[in-house]
Amino acid sequence: MKTLKLTLLAAAATLAMGGAAAAQESPVSFNLGVASDYVYRGVSQTDEGPQVFGGVDLAIGEMGYAGIWASNVDFNDDTVGEVDFYAGITPTLGVASMDFGVIYYSYIDAPSGSDYNFWEFSAAGTIPAGPAEIGAAVYYSPDFFGGTGDSFYYEVNAAAPLTERLSLSGAVGRQEVDTGLDYTTWNLGLGFAINDTIGLDVRWHDTDESGLGKIGEGRLAASLTAAF
């Protein structure tokens, strides 16, 4: 499953892969990458522009992890970057691989009073299905991005190897925000492990919410990630 995890890392380009990165053999692991667009839950965070990102993960004991991840963003204001701090544990319950974590999203040069920074708590699990994996996750924030109040994000996902180096993965999620837009998002893509370090992902993202404007419209995004 090493190849599958590498291609999923290329697909994600988000904090969702923090636990997987911590599962590397070395206690410290790194990831660096570029993407044609930074898409977070179906919505472009770079105003449909390119992304450069990177992170460091630390494995703590048998189950724990912590890390930091950063990316450029473009919200059409003075905000220039996102820096995320996270930690969690990855216990095994029967055949299920679990991940319970906490993430703090912070934004560089965000306008005063924007309330962009927020905490999010997560619970996720995956189970094997033959050579594939299927999973589900839920994320909760007591005060979501922009001070929009309570939010929940629910997701089901799956990934399957097609060949030794090629994998297919996808997800369907639902974002619900107390005083913001509620919408459904989905993605489907192919990941290719160029070698044991570098992965390429090409993925279609979309949402069902026209109120998000052009940044929530369907888009094809490609990313190249190195994990070491």
Side-chain angles (χ1 to χ4, degrees):
M1 304 301 285
K2 182 177 181 181
T3 298
L4 178 58
K5 287 185 177 181
L6 177 61
T7 53
L8 285 176
L9 178 62
T14 67
L15 262 293
M17 289 306 299
Q24 300 289 334
E25 293 180 3
S26 170
V28 180
S29 58
F30 304 86
N31 64 86
L32 297 170
V34 294
S36 61
D37 196 346
Y38 173 13
V39 186
Y40 174 76
R41 298 177 185 171
V43 180
S44 174
Q45 306 295 290
T46 48
D47 196 27
E48 302 186 301
Q51 176 195 26
V52 179
F53 60 91
V56 181
D57 293 278
L58 173 66
I60 304 171
E62 294 296 322
M63 295 190 303
Y65 67 88
I68 182 172
W69 182 88
S71 171
N72 63 298
V73 297
D74 185 354
F75 300 150
N76 288 308
D77 57 23
D78 292 334
T79 312
V80 297
E82 173 186 337
V83 181
D84 302 335
F85 304 88
Y86 51 92
I89 58 172
T90 55
T92 300
L93 301 177
V95 298
S97 298
M98 307 300 297
D99 189 330
F100 300 99
V102 57
I103 308 166
Y104 181 68
Y105 300 79
S106 63
Y107 294 88
I108 301 170
D109 290 339
S112 177
S114 62
D115 290 327
Y116 285 169
N117 297 358
F118 68 98
W119 289 91
E120 198 167 54
F121 303 89
S122 64
T126 61
I127 59 173
E133 292 181 348
I134 57 175
V138 59
Y139 295 79
Y140 167 73
S141 174
D143 191 14
F144 195 55
F145 180 85
T148 50
D150 287 356
S151 79
F152 284 93
Y153 177 72
Y154 311 94
E155 182 181 282
V156 292
N157 52 70
L162 302 179
T163 68
E164 184 179 354
R165 292 187 174 273
L166 184 67
S167 67
L168 174 69
S169 60
V172 177
R174 176 71 179 174
Q175 179 73 69
E176 298 181 351
V177 184
D178 189 28
T179 59
L181 291 174
D182 297 344
Y183 66 93
T184 300
T185 179
W186 56 92
N187 68 77
L188 182 67
L190 291 170
F192 180 73
I194 297 172
N195 53 40
D196 287 344
T197 301
I198 301 174
L200 171 68
D201 186 86
V202 178
R203 185 164 302 273
W204 178 261
H205 303 264
D206 208 347
T207 76
D208 68 344
E209 179 51 70
S210 60
L212 292 166
K214 67 174 185 176
I215 60 172
E217 294 175 352
R219 70 194 61 247
L220 189 68
S223 63
L224 187 68
T225 304
F228 50 94

